[in-house]
Amino acid sequence: MLKKIIYKILFLSLSVYSFPVFALCDIISSVDFEKLIHKKSPVTLIFFSSWCSDCKDELLEFKKKKQMKENYILVNTFDSPGKGEKTLKSLEINDLCIYDKKNELAKKFHVDSIPKNFLIPKN
Amino acid sequence: MANLKKISAFCIMLVSGIIIKNSYACSSCGSSVTSPLVLNQNENLKIYLGLSQNSNYMNYGGSEVSNTTRSVNKMLSSRKTLTLSVGYRVNEDSFVTLTGSFLQNEGSADYSNSSAGTKVKYLYGDPILAGRYNLVNMEIGSTYRPQVQLMGSYKPSIAKNMVDNDGGAVDTVGNGFHQLSGGIDFWWGMPFIQFGASQLITYSFDRTPHNDWGDGKTQEKRTRDLQYTTIVTVGHVLKDLKLAIQGGVILDYIGNENSYLKEISTGNVTTVSRSPSQSNSVFALAKFHLTPKDTLRFSYTIGGAYDGNLGPFTNSKQTTSDTALVAYERTFF
């Protein structure tokens, strides 16, 4: 019985260790987005798309800046739902990501080309 | 009012945040050299203004030479073209473009008499309504997954053309056929060396001009078989220089063309056939991104680039020319 429990604990811990959970690009309301920005500011928004070749370099650069991750939000825009997650998974990036439904955030921040980084100052 | 809007937009930008990094993503495709406008998914309205010059006109298969021998075209010496194209995104996966052109032809006033001098003619070209549908998009996670686009276009024959006997080469510009084109375009834009290929098939609707052919005959009907255009492109993006460079080949095959001639006196109908024609061009293209919204494009195409025997791809029965182009593209939103 004890053996079984130990095996189960071992299996579970190994599973968690070997299969990291990658970021889901969440769809959030504009109110929740404002709250999130307020909470995390100063924060940099990184707008990216799964089809944009330049975004790969940008995301890999972001991945290197591990110590600054707290101040970044990835925004998957001009894209179909689910594509951003696939991209982040392929680059092994597991961080906060928002899916920009109907490109509303891109419009709000006047993002017309990608990748684009946008710094939001404190408060 | 417009200035007020710009100032308020700028203020909103200053208050809400600062853009700290821009990029110059390049919209492209396997047939980029022949398509004025290709829209990225983030582009909804874009215009293209191009100025090109065709020169070095040559004929394969003139009156006294074989179909694959090249000789100087004595009728046309240069053609300058102003092209305006507008592209509009219909939905996430497709966009349409409308292209119009104005031309200036220059050539011999009378090619059989060299002392007759030259003449210049101003014309408008056939408009082209085209559309593309993104069947597959590229993905960062799959370097060798291509962008696959379905292409379609319609070109009505509006311009002055030789099917309708509107004059000689200097006086005409269109091929005289209403045409429908369809095809597929592959573009691998993620690898270090980008590459693409596209295949286009063009259907020409039969024409019934009923015009005077001379020698007591009228041209009752003109038909043209299918046209096949293949474009192969290789490219590379120099991100630091905001420059995309491409090169490649265009292989163009036009099927048989038949004129059905009716003798006015007897009513007998005879057929004059023009055998299939082939032309192979090579091109070099550079796109320079002035800003994320503004692009300058330069290209040079050499028509009938290789004169040797290429088997079924040997240049034949065709008029070729070299083309130099400078163009400006602007994305509005």
Side-chain angles (χ1 to χ4, degrees):
Chain A
M1 184 66 184
L2 190 66
K3 246 185 181 179
K4 267 188 178 178
I5 291 167
I6 291 167
Y7 279 146
K8 272 191 178 171
I9 290 168
L10 264 174
F11 175 73
L12 278 173
S13 54
L14 275 172
S15 302
V16 169
Y17 180 75
S18 29
F19 306 110
V21 180
F22 287 100
L24 274 177
C25 293
D26 296 320
I27 300 171
I28 60 172
S29 68
S30 55
V31 177
D32 288 342
F33 178 75
E34 296 292 340
K35 280 181 192 167
L36 183 69
I37 293 296
H38 187 74
K39 189 180 149 194
K40 286 180 78 76
S41 64
V43 63
T44 300
L45 305 179
I46 300 175
F47 288 85
F48 77 99
S49 298
S50 65
W51 49 266
C52 149
S53 56
D54 287 359
C55 297
K56 184 176 182 178
D57 296 342
E58 192 62 30
L59 291 170
L60 289 174
E61 201 178 299
F62 159 78
K63 197 179 160 188
K64 281 183 196 165
K65 297 175 182 170
K66 284 190 183 290
Q67 72 282 7
M68 296 167 75
K69 268 187 180 175
E70 278 303 306
N71 299 324
Y72 284 76
I73 297 173
L74 298 165
V75 183
N76 179 215
T77 190
F78 304 119
D79 226 337
S80 312
K83 296 275 187 181
E85 283 139 49
K86 216 172 160 187
T87 296
L88 296 180
K89 193 176 173 183
S90 72
L91 299 176
E92 295 184 342
I93 293 172
N94 183 16
D95 290 284
L96 180 58
C97 175
I98 289 167
Y99 174 66
D100 185 16
K101 197 179 171 188
K102 293 180 183 172
N103 310 324
E104 282 166 358
L105 294 178
K107 281 175 201 157
K108 183 180 171 124
F109 289 94
H110 302 276
V111 172
D112 45 34
S113 69
I114 41 167
K116 189 169 273 186
N117 296 359
F118 206 88
L119 172 67
I120 298 178
K122 192 151 183 66
N123 301 318
Chain B
M1 190 65 186
N3 279 342
L4 196 66
K5 270 187 179 175
K6 273 184 187 170
I7 290 165
S8 61
F10 183 67
C11 290
I12 289 165
M13 196 81 88
L14 278 182
V15 170
S16 59
I18 307 155
I19 295 168
I20 54 174
K21 198 166 181 182
N22 270 323
S23 188
Y24 298 86
C26 164
S27 51
S28 204
C29 64
S31 58
S32 185
V33 71
T34 58
S35 312
L37 273 181
V38 180
L39 272 66
N40 259 329
Q41 276 93 326
N42 59 311
E43 295 169 329
N44 296 305
L45 182 68
K46 197 172 178 179
I47 60 149
Y48 167 103
L49 188 66
L51 193 61
S52 64
Q53 167 138 1
N54 289 56
S55 55
N56 197 22
Y57 277 88
M58 305 294 274
N59 287 340
Y60 285 90
S63 53
E64 289 167 359
V65 292
S66 77
N67 281 351
T68 55
T69 304
R70 184 155 75 151
S71 58
V72 175
N73 182 320
K74 291 175 185 167
M75 292 181 271
L76 201 55
S77 55
S78 84
R79 172 178 285 166
K80 292 183 180 77
T81 308
L82 178 71
T83 304
L84 179 66
S85 187
V86 181
Y88 179 72
R89 178 161 294 286
V90 181
N91 58 40
E92 197 181 310
D93 291 316
S94 50
F95 61 88
V96 290
T97 60
L98 182 63
T99 304
S101 56
F102 298 93
L103 305 99
Q104 183 209 59
N105 279 349
E106 191 173 350
S108 179
D110 179 1
Y111 69 91
S112 58
N113 175 14
S114 56
S115 61
T118 58
K119 71 171 176 177
V120 172
K121 195 89 181 179
Y122 293 92
L123 304 145
Y124 56 85
D126 291 331
I128 303 169
L129 179 65
R132 284 180 182 242
Y133 176 77
N134 272 44
L135 202 62
V136 177
N137 286 318
M138 291 187 292
E139 272 186 25
I140 287 174
S142 315
T143 307
Y144 293 100
R145 177 187 162 119
Q147 168 188 268
V148 184
Q149 290 181 328
L150 297 179
M151 310 180 282
S153 70
Y154 176 66
K155 177 192 80 67
S157 177
I158 291 172
K160 287 193 171 184
N161 62 82
M162 288 175 94
V163 171
D164 293 325
N165 276 358
D166 279 324
V170 182
D171 309 296
T172 59
V173 59
N175 62 24
F177 291 96
H178 304 298
Q179 292 182 313
L180 260 183
S181 296
I184 192 159
D185 186 302
F186 296 88
W187 179 245
W188 285 265
M190 289 287 172
F192 179 76
I193 298 292
Q194 303 172 321
F195 50 99
S198 72
Q199 180 63 54
L200 208 66
I201 300 173
T202 302
Y203 174 80
S204 301
F205 291 92
D206 294 353
R207 294 295 313 276
T208 49
H210 300 293
N211 53 3
D212 183 24
W213 185 267
D215 298 332
K217 293 172 185 171
T218 56
Q219 181 180 220
E220 292 300 295
K221 192 164 86 167
R222 175 87 74 111
T223 64
R224 181 188 268 197
D225 290 348
L226 291 176
Q227 176 174 350
Y228 300 90
T229 308
T230 308
I231 302 159
V232 180
T233 307
V234 178
H236 178 62
V237 177
L238 301 158
K239 282 177 190 163
D240 295 338
L241 299 175
K242 302 167 196 167
L243 187 69
I245 48 172
Q246 292 176 1
V249 294
I250 306 165
L251 308 174
D252 201 27
Y253 169 90
I254 303 173
N256 253 336
E257 198 167 311
N258 294 318
S259 289
Y260 296 85
L261 308 176
K262 187 177 173 184
E263 254 181 71
I264 298 166
S265 55
T266 62
N268 287 343
V269 176
T270 53
T271 308
V272 174
S273 282
R274 185 175 182 267
S275 54
S277 59
Q278 173 79 38
S279 76
N280 309 310
S281 313
V282 295
F283 65 87
L285 169 72
K287 289 181 193 174
F288 178 66
H289 299 279
L290 293 167
T291 73
K293 286 186 168 185
D294 303 279
T295 305
L296 278 180
R297 176 201 283 233
F298 305 94
S299 76
Y300 195 82
T301 307
I302 302 170
Y306 179 73
D307 263 345
N309 186 356
L310 291 169
F313 298 108
T314 306
N315 288 306
S316 63
K317 202 74 183 169
Q318 180 73 269
T319 298
T320 62
S321 63
D322 298 344
T323 313
L325 166 95
V326 57
Y328 168 73
E329 290 171 17
R330 168 84 177 168
T331 304
F332 286 98
F333 60 91

